[in-house]
Amino acid sequence: MGIFDDKKFDSLDWISQAVEPVETDLMGAFGQIPDVVEIDFELYQAMIGDSWSMDLSIDHALRFLITKHAQRTLSFKECEVLKGSLEFVINNGTEIDYETRTIRGDFRIVKKEQVVNEKDLLSLVGHEGIQHIENLRYSNFNISRMNEVLEMVGKISDAEMRSRSHRAKVVTLRNRLRDIFNNDEWRIRTPELGRKIGVWIHQYVTSGNLAAWSNFCRLKLMTHNERAIYSIQEAE
Amino acid sequence: MSNNVLDSLTVFIKSLSVSKPIFTLSQDRGRVTASLKETVRQTIETSDPLELLVIYNYRESFSRDLGVFVISEQQILSDVGVHVKEKLQEFLYKYMANKKPNQTQLYKWLQYLDLRSSAATNGIFLLYKYLSLNTGPKQMQFANDSEHVKNGLLILEKLKEYDEKSK
């Protein structure tokens, strides 16, 4: 086994290697939610939580159900991807009565879809990593190390490379990474690895962390293997 | 000076009924909205101008912890006070024998009067009641030479003096 091997990819069956599905625990967590959830008074109160409003959004309900059934929290982006798969079913004239602490009428949350579109899942990859890059705007970083990163990600114009503005560098890097993930140029298949790209870059440009740089370079080299990437052997 | 009028208004407010805590649930674009099924209508019959003002300014808020509607006493009293002051300012503006009534000491005193802490609060509310009960079909409209106008202006002057002395 070489240091550029992807153990997780190698362990996949041939169909998965051909299809290259996005690997995330999100679908497992979503699967924990029952297909139909009857909402009674107590559940409605719990879902609203300590909100000042009496209204209930599907985002709120989804976050509550994931926490309850899968003991997991959702990021904003994950919530955006999943919320289309749930819907409220509510009959006309359904009432909530605080005197008797009951809900009169039919009120349920049902799953519209059991699986989420692969394209939507792919949009999760890199999202958190890009957030780490955004955070560089508020950090003091080394501009020559940033230039090394920009050279590594490629497709950066000379004018952008010559710029001495920290903010411009961050914007350039962020836009380039956004293109990479949107166009699936590097074929990263786990949101965790996408997040780590942002973390490694952040660590390297702010503190010169060589392990982080090594990991990033290793990943970049693996993108030339012409296959999906699920994991890398990280340097400590 | 005790604020007897405010006390009696507070007792009146407490006698008002609140809405039943029943909400209709409806759905709109992935959001369940709860709207009050039936807003309370106050059935108390009264001709007292201050009590009518209280009913007009009735406010309640829903306490989810308690599961009941709670009357917002302070908010109602504050709104009633604002209304009373506005009406008396209009009265001054209309009937003061002055070219620029809003630049007089009396008008400015009334404008900045804090009804929560002033010694003249009781008098202000009672003056509003007196003027409202003796007005024509339109609120706070009198003939220029009306005795009520003279009384009103005089009482306001005295209230100002009393308020300034008690500070």
Side-chain angles (χ1 to χ4, degrees), chain B residues 2 9-10 13 16 24 34 41-42 50 65 70 75 77 81 97 100 130 142 146-148 154 157 159-160:
Chain B
S2 67
L9 283 182
T10 307
I13 290 170
L16 297 174
T24 306
R41 288 190 62 177
Q42 301 300 341
L50 288 172
D65 292 339
V70 181
Q75 187 61 48
L77 285 178
K100 291 181 177 173
Y130 162 73
F142 304 91
S146 161
E147 285 299 313
H148 300 309
L154 206 61
E157 282 288 354
L159 283 172
K160 176 174 170 284

Side-chain angles (χ1 to χ4, degrees), chain A residues 44-45 48-51 53-58 88-91 94-99 103-104 107, chain B residues 19-35 37 62-68:
Chain A
Y44 189 73
Q45 287 294 96
I48 298 172
D50 52 6
S51 162
S53 169
M54 296 269 298
D55 298 353
L56 177 64
S57 66
I58 201 78
F88 290 116
V89 173
I90 186 163
N91 276 4
T94 300
E95 292 172 355
I96 179 164
D97 186 341
Y98 278 82
E99 267 181 346
I103 287 183
R104 288 189 286 270
F107 187 15
Chain B
S19 302
K20 278 194 168 187
I22 302 174
F23 298 85
T24 306
L25 299 175
S26 57
Q27 193 192 170
D28 183 30
R29 281 174 286 178
R31 189 174 189 85
V32 172
T33 312
S35 43
K37 191 181 175 191
F62 183 63
S63 160
R64 247 178 56 209
D65 292 339
L66 303 173
V68 290

Side-chain angles (χ1 to χ4, degrees), chain B residues 102-130:
Chain B
N102 55 348
Q103 289 184 9
T104 60
Q105 291 292 314
L106 184 60
Y107 189 93
K108 284 180 182 170
W109 166 77
L110 185 60
Q111 192 173 14
Y112 297 111
L113 183 68
D114 185 356
L115 289 175
R116 289 168 301 179
S117 57
S118 168
T121 302
N122 211 24
I124 291 287
F125 277 101
L126 290 173
L127 176 61
Y128 172 84
K129 191 170 172 176
Y130 162 73

Side-chain angles (χ1 to χ4, degrees), chain B:
Chain B
M1 191 180 192
S2 67
N3 290 332
N4 295 328
V5 179
L6 285 185
D7 292 344
S8 64
L9 283 182
T10 307
V11 172
F12 177 73
I13 290 170
K14 282 181 177 157
S15 72
L16 297 174
S17 30
V18 293
S19 302
K20 278 194 168 187
I22 302 174
F23 298 85
T24 306
L25 299 175
S26 57
Q27 193 192 170
D28 183 30
R29 281 174 286 178
R31 189 174 189 85
V32 172
T33 312
S35 43
L36 186 61
K37 191 181 175 191
E38 203 175 331
T39 312
V40 68
R41 288 190 62 177
Q42 301 300 341
T43 51
I44 297 177
E45 286 194 6
T46 176
S47 54
D48 184 315
L50 288 172
E51 289 181 355
L52 285 172
L53 261 187
V54 164
I55 292 174
Y56 181 74
N57 287 287
Y58 177 76
R59 299 269 188 287
E60 61 184 9
S61 58
F62 183 63
S63 160
R64 247 178 56 209
D65 292 339
L66 303 173
V68 290
F69 276 95
V70 181
I71 299 177
S72 317
E73 272 173 41
Q74 291 308 313
Q75 187 61 48
I76 295 173
L77 285 178
S78 163
D79 290 351
V80 168
V82 168
H83 182 89
V84 165
K85 269 176 63 175
E86 274 176 7
K87 286 294 165 193
L88 290 180
Q89 279 171 257
E90 278 174 30
F91 171 78
L92 273 183
Y93 200 87
K94 214 179 267 179
Y95 299 108
M96 240 182 146
N98 197 308
K99 274 188 180 173
K100 291 181 177 173
N102 55 348
Q103 289 184 9
T104 60
Q105 291 292 314
L106 184 60
Y107 189 93
K108 284 180 182 170
W109 166 77
L110 185 60
Q111 192 173 14
Y112 297 111
L113 183 68
D114 185 356
L115 289 175
R116 289 168 301 179
S117 57
S118 168
T121 302
N122 211 24
I124 291 287
F125 277 101
L126 290 173
L127 176 61
Y128 172 84
K129 191 170 172 176
Y130 162 73
L131 291 174
S132 300
L133 287 173
N134 293 292
T135 188
K138 281 193 178 177
Q139 209 183 15
M140 295 290 171
Q141 291 226 344
F142 304 91
N144 275 345
D145 57 349
S146 161
E147 285 299 313
H148 300 309
V149 170
K150 287 176 194 163
N151 287 344
L153 292 173
L154 206 61
I155 292 169
L156 268 177
E157 282 288 354
K158 289 292 172 196
L159 283 172
K160 176 174 170 284
E161 276 174 32
Y162 176 73
D163 182 48
E164 284 167 353
K165 262 186 214 167
S166 58
K167 274 178 187 169

